């Protein structure tokens, strides 16, 4: 058996730099310290992405796109396809958990100041991946073509129409017309199953490559390190199993609803709200008055939200510009402020 | 120029003087009763159509002086007597030209029909108790039938008719139609005038009962008319539907009407007769489909509470319900085999729906068992990895 394994390895070695890769991997180490538990959040994000890809492919085998087919096919998946209900619920819960873990990962990186030179590009690619995850969530939300999906997409895309000069053009580009129709569904489907996953896969590749190239932050400051293979990976996998367990429990006990089929002529269901990860922005826009001076309130809100987004994206750069003695405090308070604001607005949006 | 302005001002002022109605100024202050009449007229449909007091009562509403305003030479007729009321209202309501101006959709044969009604005939014969126009349509505050505050709005009709026909009104309220209208708020449910007519109100004769009920229950009527029972009842002078179902206090029909101590068939047929045996067979068939339906519905609800998709089962149950209703209708053919044919299909559909619901509940349980097993395996693996980590440390 061992001889066979050696033969296979040497066959591969002649074709791939396997031993050097294994050699490189064996030297990879992870710092051990108080906050090292947060290192696992990134791995969980990747695991959940893979879970989304796997369940997404299974759903694709039965899902049909179109205003006269999407709802029916999702209903069919949930009611008739063996384990279809499980795949759909795991996909929906997995998406939500993935966004949650991306937030946890992002804030842990932020508070550990792991975005600082030379890791600015890792931070930027990470922010890009958060944007992609939210875009995947938004585009996937429409695909069941139920009432909630329809009106959430209508409200969400309406916001685009507020952008000055190009707003109407953007709105038509995203919707495939002036209204949310089957054309919107088709393009959201295309984005959700092809464009966005491909970009996310590339983004994850770039993100991981940057982590490899630069090593872990604080590696030299930590008193102790542990090898990535197998010590850290074993812990990673154990956590993945627990997360998979959590997704399973959520899927079985809180299966995702099929809802009622979208009706463009019907009225929006009472208390309609976006997904939790858009609630803070939604609540902020709701609080704004119709007009602030000469400017429409909604437009002002969109500009402000984009401003905050850009400010967050450029964290490594403004951080570098802050005098060194105050840098840590500024980062800490700005981060705590961001978390508090996000939490308060999300909870407020949920309760109101 | 000045002349032109004056002419224009006079022309503009002219319509205003035509609308002057001084009646209210005096009559509103006579006493409380008159004040209420004046106030009530403010929301009267006739006023909304642009009519004033003088349109019905005549006289000159522009005069402040009572004698001048209520001068019979100027057409003043005052309040009509009860006997004169149909003609009084008929001045406009029987005049196509007048009705075309104010409400072209209203028929102009109401007065004519009234005199063909029991009310009209009695009034003509001098019976002062007979209902006339104002008894159903209280004047000075009259509203159209679609207005919920109108005395002739569907839900208010039992009360309006009940002023005189108290017993019938009370029976109606207890019957299926009364419950549907007054308790469930179904304004499409029949009310007094649906069966008796309104201006031509008359109790339906024995021969026309089936026509009256059949205007809504068309299939029941067709089955009954084609059955051997129809001719026998005609000979005996029975009221077709009312003989079994009653008239005003129509009870919700159940299979118990066919057989058992409450059976209506016992009114004519002996308990041991072949007719009663046929009725008992039909009752058994109806009960069987009703039981299958109720059981399927409970099973579907049980599955739905657990979040299972029951769309197909609901479809089958809907078809079963349709068959159940059809079977109740087919009973009026008095042929047990026909009832069995329709009801049997419905019972099969209900059983199919129940089977799907029970399978869904089983599937629901299996999901939890599956989750339990998966959780066990995953937790075991995670635990094994944890032990490995501990071992490494």
């Amino acid at each position: 058996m061992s001889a066979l394994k050696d033969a296979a390895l040497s066959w591969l070695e002649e074709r791939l730099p396997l031993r050097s890769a294994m050699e490189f991997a064996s030297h990879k180490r992870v710092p051990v310290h108080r906050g090292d538990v947060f290192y696992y959040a990134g791995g969980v994000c990747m695991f959940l992405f893979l879970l989304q890809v796997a369940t997404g492919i299974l759903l694709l085998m039965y899902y049909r796109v179109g205003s006269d087919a999407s709802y029916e096919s999702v209903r069919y998946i949930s009611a008739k396809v063996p384990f279809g209900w499980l795949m759909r619920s795991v996909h929906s819960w997995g998406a939500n958990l993935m966004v949650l873990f991306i937030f946890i990962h992002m804030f842990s990186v932020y508070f550990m100041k792991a975005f600082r030179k030379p890791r600015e590009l890792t931070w930027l690619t990470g922010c890009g991946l958060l944007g992609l995850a939210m875009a995947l969530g938004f585009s996937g939300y429409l695909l069941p073509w139920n009432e909630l999906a329809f009106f959430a997409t209508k409200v969400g895309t309406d916001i685009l129409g507020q952008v000055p000069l190009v707003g109407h053009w953007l709105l038509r580009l995203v919707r495939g017309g002036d209204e949310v129709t089957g054309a919107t569904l088709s393009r959201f489907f295309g984005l959700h199953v092809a464009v966005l996953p491909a970009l996310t896969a590339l983004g994850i590749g770039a993100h991981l490559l940057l982590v490899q190239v630069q090593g872990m932050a604080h590696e030299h400051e930590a008193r102790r390190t542990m090898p990535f293979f197998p010590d850290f990976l074993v812990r990673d996998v154990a956590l993945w199993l627990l997360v998979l367990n959590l997704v399973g429990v959520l899927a079985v006990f809180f299966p995702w609803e099929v809802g009622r089929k979208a009706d463009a002529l019907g009225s929006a269901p009472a208390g309609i709200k976006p997904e939790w990860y858009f609630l803070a922005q939604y609540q902020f826009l709701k609080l704004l008055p119709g007009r602030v001076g000469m400017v429409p309130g909604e437009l002002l809100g969109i500009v402000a939200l984009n401003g905050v987004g850009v400010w967050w994206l450029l964290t490594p750069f403004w951080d570098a510009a802050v005098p060194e003695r105050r840098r840590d405090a500024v980062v800490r308070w700005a981060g705590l402020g961001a978390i508090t604001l996000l939490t308060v607005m999300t909870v407020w949006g949920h309760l109101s | 120029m000045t002349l032109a302005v004056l002419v224009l001002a006079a022309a503009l002022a002219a319509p205003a003087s035509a609308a002057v109605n001084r009646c209210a100024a005096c009559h509103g202050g006579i006493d409380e009763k008159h004040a209420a009449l004046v106030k009530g007229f403010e929301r009267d449909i006739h006023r909304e159509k642009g009519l004033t007091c003088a349109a019905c009562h005549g006289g000159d509403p522009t005069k402040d002086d009572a004698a001048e305003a209520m001068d019979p030479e100027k057409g003043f007729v005052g309040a009509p007597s009860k006997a004169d009321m149909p003609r009084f209202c008929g001045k406009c309501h029987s005049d196509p030209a007048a009705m075309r101006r104010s409400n072209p959709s209203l028929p102009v044969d109401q007065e004519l029909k009234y005199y063909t009604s029991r009310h009209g005939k009695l009034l003509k014969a001098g019976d002062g108790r007979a209902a006339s126009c104002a008894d159903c349509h209280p004047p000075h505050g009259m509203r159209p039938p679609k207005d919920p505050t109108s005395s002739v709005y569907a839900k208010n009709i039992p009360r309006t008719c009940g002023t005189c026909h108290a017993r019938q009104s009370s029976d109606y309220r207890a019957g299926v139609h009364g419950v549907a209208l007054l308790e469930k708020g179904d304004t499409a449910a029949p009310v007094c005038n649906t069966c008796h007519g309104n201006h031509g109100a008359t109790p339906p004769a024995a021969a026309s009962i089936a026509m009256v009920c059949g205007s809504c229950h068309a299939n029941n009527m067709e089955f009954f008319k084609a059955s051997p029972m129809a001719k026998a009842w005609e000979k005996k002078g029975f009221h077709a539907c009312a003989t079994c179902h009653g008239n005003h206090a129509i009870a919700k029909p159940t299979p118990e009407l066919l057989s058992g101590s409450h059976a209506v068939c016992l009114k004519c047929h002996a308990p041991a007769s072949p007719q009663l045996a046929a009725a008992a067979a039909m009752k058994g068939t109806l009960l069987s489909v009703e039981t299958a339906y109720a059981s399927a519905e409970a099973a579907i609800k049980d599955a739905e509470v657990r979040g299972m998709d029951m769309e197909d089962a609901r479809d089958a149950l809907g078809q079963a319900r349709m068959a159940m209703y059809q079977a109740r209708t087919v009973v009026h053919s008095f042929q047990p085999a026909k009832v069995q044919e329709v009801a049997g299909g419905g019972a099969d559909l209900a059983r199919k729906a129940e089977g799907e619901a029970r399978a869904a509940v089983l599937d629901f349980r299996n999901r939890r068992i599956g989750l339990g097993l998966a959780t066990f395996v995953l937790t075991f693996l995670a635990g094994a990895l944890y032990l490995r980590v501990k071992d490494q440390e």
Side-chain angles (χ1 to χ4, degrees):
Chain A
M1 192 65 192
S2 169
L4 193 66
K5 184 180 156 194
D6 288 344
L9 280 175
S10 62
W11 185 90
L12 274 175
E13 183 58 33
E14 284 169 18
R15 287 150 185 91
L16 285 171
L18 205 60
R19 275 186 218 284
S20 49
M22 284 166 75
E23 179 70 16
F24 172 78
S26 69
H27 289 117
K28 183 174 169 53
R29 298 191 74 81
V30 179
V32 178
H33 55 83
R34 218 161 39 135
D36 65 2
V37 65
F38 289 105
Y39 284 146
Y40 299 99
V44 172
C45 296
M46 195 180 70
F47 167 70
L48 285 169
F49 176 70
L50 295 175
L51 186 68
Q52 291 304 96
V53 172
T55 50
I57 288 171
L58 289 170
L59 289 172
L60 255 181
M61 292 178 183
Y62 290 93
Y63 180 78
R64 286 177 299 133
V65 66
S67 56
D68 55 351
S70 291
Y71 177 81
E72 288 73 10
S73 66
V74 171
R75 180 151 216 141
Y76 183 76
I77 289 169
S78 300
K80 301 283 177 207
V81 177
F83 295 103
W85 61 274
L86 183 65
M87 290 307 110
R88 174 158 187 261
S89 273
V90 166
H91 197 72
S92 303
W93 277 113
N96 280 279
L97 287 178
M98 185 170 81
V99 176
L100 177 70
F101 273 98
I102 292 176
F103 271 111
I104 293 171
H105 180 49
M106 180 181 73
F107 277 109
S108 60
V109 165
Y110 178 88
F111 284 110
M112 286 190 220
K113 290 104 175 171
F115 54 80
R116 283 179 178 160
K117 189 181 171 186
R119 296 184 177 80
E120 295 95 329
L121 288 174
T122 323
W123 173 261
L124 290 177
T125 50
C127 286
L129 285 167
L130 170 66
L132 284 167
M134 289 171 94
L136 275 163
F138 186 68
S139 56
Y141 199 67
L142 178 67
L143 301 188
W145 197 245
N146 57 26
E147 269 183 348
L148 281 176
F150 179 81
F151 286 104
T153 307
K154 197 168 156 53
V155 174
T157 49
D158 266 341
I159 293 171
L160 277 178
Q162 296 291 325
V163 178
L165 302 175
V166 293
H168 187 66
W169 177 81
L170 264 179
L171 180 93
R172 285 181 55 83
L173 179 75
V174 170
R175 286 185 178 174
D178 282 327
E179 297 296 330
V180 175
T181 60
T184 322
L185 190 56
S186 300
R187 53 191 61 201
F188 272 43
F189 175 69
L191 284 173
H192 189 79
V193 305
V195 181
L196 296 174
L199 289 177
T200 308
L202 284 175
I204 292 174
H207 198 65
L208 290 179
L209 183 70
L210 287 164
V211 172
Q212 286 309 313
V213 170
Q214 285 145 4
M216 306 295 281
H218 311 294
E219 192 176 336
H220 306 296
E221 301 155 30
R223 285 185 202 154
R224 208 154 61 82
T225 60
M226 72 165 106
F228 185 85
F229 292 103
D231 297 34
F232 189 82
L233 188 63
V234 166
R235 288 168 170 79
D236 238 355
V237 173
L239 184 62
W240 295 357
L241 290 171
L242 293 179
V243 170
L244 182 63
N245 222 339
L246 173 68
V247 176
V249 170
L250 290 170
V252 171
F253 283 94
F254 306 100
W256 220 260
E257 279 188 2
V258 178
R260 293 203 323 207
K261 187 172 176 172
D263 177 9
L265 300 175
S267 52
I272 185 167
K273 279 178 194 151
E275 284 285 70
W276 64 270
Y277 40 88
F278 291 118
L279 260 182
Q281 298 92 307
Y282 171 74
Q283 182 62 21
F284 173 68
L285 289 176
K286 251 175 51 178
L287 291 176
L288 289 171
R291 293 193 85 81
V292 180
M294 296 289 287
V295 189
E298 204 170 335
L299 175 63
L300 197 74
I302 293 163
V303 171
L305 286 173
N306 277 298
V308 170
V310 171
W311 170 76
W312 189 254
L313 183 72
L314 297 179
T315 297
F317 305 102
W318 59 253
D319 167 72
V322 176
E324 197 165 351
R325 62 191 169 79
R326 287 198 291 139
R327 200 176 286 169
D328 283 2
V330 168
V331 166
R332 186 168 59 246
W333 287 111
L336 286 173
I339 284 193
T340 311
L341 198 64
L342 263 182
T343 312
V344 168
M345 295 298 260
T346 304
V347 172
W348 191 358
H350 179 71
L351 297 177
S352 63
Chain B
M1 179 68 188
T2 313
L3 186 66
V5 170
L6 285 173
V7 168
L8 184 64
L12 286 172
S17 67
V20 166
N21 184 12
R22 304 295 301 155
C23 311
C26 292
H27 285 263
I30 296 175
D31 56 21
E32 277 185 18
K33 182 187 158 197
H34 282 82
L37 291 182
V38 168
K39 188 156 177 54
F41 187 65
E42 282 174 13
R43 61 182 303 272
D44 194 291
I45 181 67
H46 296 100
R47 185 173 183 270
E48 284 176 9
K49 296 283 182 184
L51 303 178
T52 61
C53 311
C56 297
H57 299 288
D60 185 350
T62 63
K63 301 295 180 199
D64 284 329
D65 181 72
E68 275 189 285
M70 297 189 287
D71 184 353
E73 282 188 11
K74 288 182 178 167
F76 181 72
V77 291
S81 68
K82 190 166 192 176
D84 201 29
M85 185 73 78
R87 194 195 54 77
F88 181 83
C89 299
K91 277 188 300 185
C92 294
H93 283 270
S94 301
D95 177 6
M99 291 316 292
R100 202 173 296 128
R101 280 196 301 275
S102 50
N103 188 354
S105 65
L106 216 57
V108 288
D109 61 349
Q110 292 168 332
E111 186 188 352
L112 207 65
K113 276 187 173 168
Y114 172 75
Y115 282 117
T116 68
S117 74
R118 180 65 65 86
H119 296 141
K121 284 177 181 167
L122 288 171
L123 190 75
K124 217 171 199 172
D127 186 343
R129 292 174 306 160
S132 182
C133 314
D135 293 300
C136 301
H137 305 282
H140 309 110
M142 200 183 296
R143 301 297 302 154
K146 283 185 179 167
D147 185 326
T149 63
S150 167
S151 58
V152 289
Y153 177 67
K155 288 174 91 171
N156 301 330
I157 286 180
R159 192 175 58 222
T160 301
C161 300
T163 313
C164 301
H165 305 281
R167 183 177 57 77
Q168 288 86 343
S169 173
S170 155
D171 283 354
Y172 169 81
R173 285 163 195 274
V176 276
H177 297 143
V179 169
L181 177 72
L182 303 170
E183 290 179 21
K184 296 180 183 166
D186 180 3
T187 48
V191 67
C192 317
N193 62 328
T194 316
C195 300
H196 296 286
N198 34 35
H199 298 103
T202 294
S208 58
I209 282 274
M211 297 307 292
V212 168
C213 303
S215 62
C216 293
H217 304 278
N219 289 333
N220 301 42
M221 182 186 73
E222 289 302 324
F223 280 122
F224 180 79
K225 277 168 74 177
S227 77
M229 210 74 86
K231 277 182 189 153
W233 285 31
E234 207 176 326
K235 273 186 200 162
K236 288 179 181 284
F238 284 173
H239 285 66
C241 311
T243 304
C244 298
H245 295 286
N247 45 22
H248 298 110
I250 299 166
K252 186 177 165 60
T254 69
E256 298 303 322
L257 285 179
L258 290 165
S259 164
S261 55
H262 299 292
V264 288
C265 309
L266 285 171
K267 285 183 184 175
C268 300
H269 300 289
S273 64
Q275 289 84 356
L276 250 293
M282 289 192 289
K283 176 185 171 183
T285 307
L286 288 184
L287 284 176
S288 130
V289 66
E290 283 178 10
T291 309
Y293 178 83
S295 174
E297 193 178 30
I300 287 173
K301 277 187 185 159
D302 188 30
E304 281 174 341
V305 164
R306 291 171 158 84
M308 306 304 281
D309 186 295
M310 285 285 96
E311 197 188 20
D312 289 352
R314 279 266 169 218
D315 279 350
L317 192 70
Q319 290 174 44
R321 185 173 56 223
M322 191 68 79
M324 188 167 76
Y325 290 159
Q326 281 170 355
R328 287 176 188 163
T329 301
V330 176
V331 164
H332 297 89
S333 71
F334 305 102
Q335 292 184 41
K338 269 192 179 177
V339 178
Q340 172 60 41
E341 190 186 333
V342 177
D348 288 345
L349 282 165
R351 280 190 279 273
K352 181 183 163 224
E354 184 173 352
E356 282 181 26
R358 301 235 175 271
V361 172
L362 191 66
D363 189 27
F364 173 83
R365 288 192 184 125
N366 287 341
R367 286 180 187 185
R368 302 218 158 178
I369 294 168
L371 175 74
L373 290 173
T375 304
F376 176 76
V377 171
L378 291 173
T379 312
F380 175 80
L381 286 174
L385 289 174
Y386 176 76
L387 290 176
R388 168 81 194 264
V389 167
K390 284 282 153 202
D391 194 39
Q392 280 170 352
E393 283 174 358

